[in-house]
Amino acid sequence: MSTPHPASLPPQPAVLGAARLRVDYVRASLDGLLADGGVLAVFGFGAGAPARHDDPRYLRVNLQPDGAAPFEVWRVDGQVRADRRGGIATAVGGGLAFGAIEVDEAPAGGIAAAAEAAYDRLCGWLADNGFGHVQKAWNYIDAITEGDGDAERYRQFCVGRERGLRGRWPRYPAATAIGCHDGRRVLQVYWLAAREPGTPLENPRQVSAFRYPRQYGPQPPGFTRALLPASPALPLLISGTAAVVGHASMHAGDLAAQFDEVFRNLDSLLLVARAERPGLPAAFGADSPLRVYVRRQEDLPAVRARLARHLPGHVPRLLLVGEVCRRELLVEIDGFHRCAG
């Protein structure tokens, strides 16, 4: 059954020119933001954000922010039409598509089955709507590192995701997978998709995640370290980046050393991206909104201080309490680089 938002616009004409995306952190009313027909998606964070909205373009991420968080807003050129059908919230406009799925683990049969269902339905929607290329997927999983060995929930998520994909993606997109603390056992997946494939990027300091050895689980994680979309007006999409060198976690228990390693990895990724697209800036700036995931709430003051050392003050950043997918890792950063104005 289709439940389009009352303010949904009629099907749009073909968008001329390159797809463009602007990502901002904004303090404004949610209704006011959603009144803009060029808004593709709006994200709230934590218990202080509205739980739901009739508009399918809004999603609350159940990670608690450091203080009162702004909304994250995605804007495109052209008018956006939104829909909610079969448990999938979607918005299409400006040559891009946003979509979100939430799957309750209990009726699905556990985290692996929930991931399989989510990605099977995601792939079905993409095929039915002509957006064959996910640029990045975000995955939020309650208690992501609970369980031992191959029974760990993140490892089971990776198994289920691959089953749901069924070989339908010739190349992996960028991705983030972070653990929540809400106890709901509801898998949350959302994505940004385009009609044209992007260029997956790997970090020479790291083994590709999809080539991790067996010690990390029966199914390697299905993502690339970053993705450079085909349109030069779209930002570089950076996957969750932690203190991993080769395939090994570094500096167990040492937040400061892990933080420095994360930025060495990010610097390396930017070099790779600039080799593909020389116009990208060499460093993060005002058009590079970043999310910083921090495992322990008590580490937030230290993380704020480390960020001030590594980033100019005008770089937008959002700190969220969330578990990295390995227990020994304390911090992870993802984001966008050079969002078009």
Side-chain angles (χ1 to χ4, degrees):
M1 178 178 179
S2 174
T3 56
H5 183 254
S8 296
L9 295 163
Q12 61 192 53
V15 176
L16 299 178
R20 184 181 300 270
L21 178 71
R22 175 77 193 178
V23 180
D24 295 298
Y25 295 144
V26 179
R27 296 188 185 276
S29 77
L30 179 56
D31 286 338
L33 291 170
L34 293 171
D36 182 348
V39 165
L40 187 69
V42 178
F43 304 90
F45 299 92
R52 289 193 173 274
H53 195 283
D54 289 340
D55 194 316
R57 296 175 295 166
Y58 174 70
L59 183 68
R60 183 175 75 175
V61 175
N62 290 319
L63 296 176
Q64 197 61 27
D66 181 22
F71 292 107
E72 181 175 307
V73 183
W74 296 0
R75 292 185 174 91
V76 295
D77 291 344
Q79 298 295 318
V80 172
R81 47 193 173 86
D83 194 13
R84 201 185 304 272
R85 185 189 302 266
I88 304 177
T90 58
V92 175
L96 297 171
F98 156 76
I101 299 174
E102 293 184 335
V103 180
D104 191 332
E105 293 182 30
I111 182 59
E116 181 177 359
Y119 274 84
D120 182 52
R121 290 161 61 192
L122 186 165
C123 290
W125 186 91
L126 294 171
D128 290 345
N129 290 273
F131 286 91
H133 303 283
V134 170
Q135 309 291 285
K136 183 172 179 182
W138 290 257
N139 309 275
Y140 295 103
I141 306 159
D142 187 46
I144 193 170
T145 56
E146 183 179 286
D148 295 323
D150 288 348
E152 182 192 70
R153 285 171 54 76
Y154 179 60
R155 296 187 182 194
Q156 287 298 301
F157 163 80
C158 291
V159 169
R161 172 171 55 184
E162 199 67 23
R163 288 176 181 166
L165 291 175
R166 293 187 293 167
R168 286 176 284 187
W169 286 0
R171 294 181 291 181
Y172 289 118
T176 292
I178 289 289
C180 305
H181 299 279
D182 59 12
R184 294 173 61 231
R185 290 294 198 268
V186 174
L187 172 64
Q188 188 176 63
V189 178
Y190 67 90
W191 66 89
L192 175 71
R195 299 189 188 278
E196 297 180 339
T199 302
L201 302 179
E202 293 300 323
N203 189 337
R205 302 186 79 239
Q206 298 176 305
V207 172
S208 298
F210 50 84
R211 293 186 176 137
Y212 277 177
R214 176 62 178 82
Q215 72 191 79
Y216 297 103
Q219 173 61 54
F223 71 95
T224 189
R225 300 294 179 183
L227 188 132
L228 197 60
S231 168
L234 290 175
L236 173 70
L237 301 163
I238 301 170
S239 295
T241 303
V244 173
V245 177
H247 57 73
S249 301
M250 306 297 289
H251 319 297
D254 188 334
L255 177 66
Q258 286 193 25
F259 206 90
D260 292 344
E261 200 72 69
V262 169
F263 272 88
R264 282 191 282 271
N265 280 331
L266 291 172
D267 288 343
S268 178
L269 265 177
L270 291 187
L271 282 173
V272 172
R274 279 170 49 79
E276 291 286 335
R277 187 164 293 165
L280 279 173
F284 296 124
D287 51 4
S288 304
L290 303 175
R291 289 191 196 173
V292 183
Y293 303 97
V294 183
R295 174 176 289 275
R296 304 180 304 209
Q297 186 165 358
E298 60 267 27
D299 286 338
L300 287 170
V303 169
R304 287 195 298 268
R306 302 299 295 187
L307 283 170
R309 291 181 56 182
H310 281 275
L311 294 173
H314 62 277
V315 176
R317 78 283 310 263
L318 180 63
L319 276 66
L320 300 168
V321 179
E323 293 186 348
V324 186
C325 64
R326 295 186 188 178
R327 299 173 195 180
E328 66 274 14
L329 295 176
L330 304 175
V331 64
E332 180 170 303
I333 297 177
D334 73 0
F336 304 85
H337 182 46
R338 197 180 188 182
C339 297

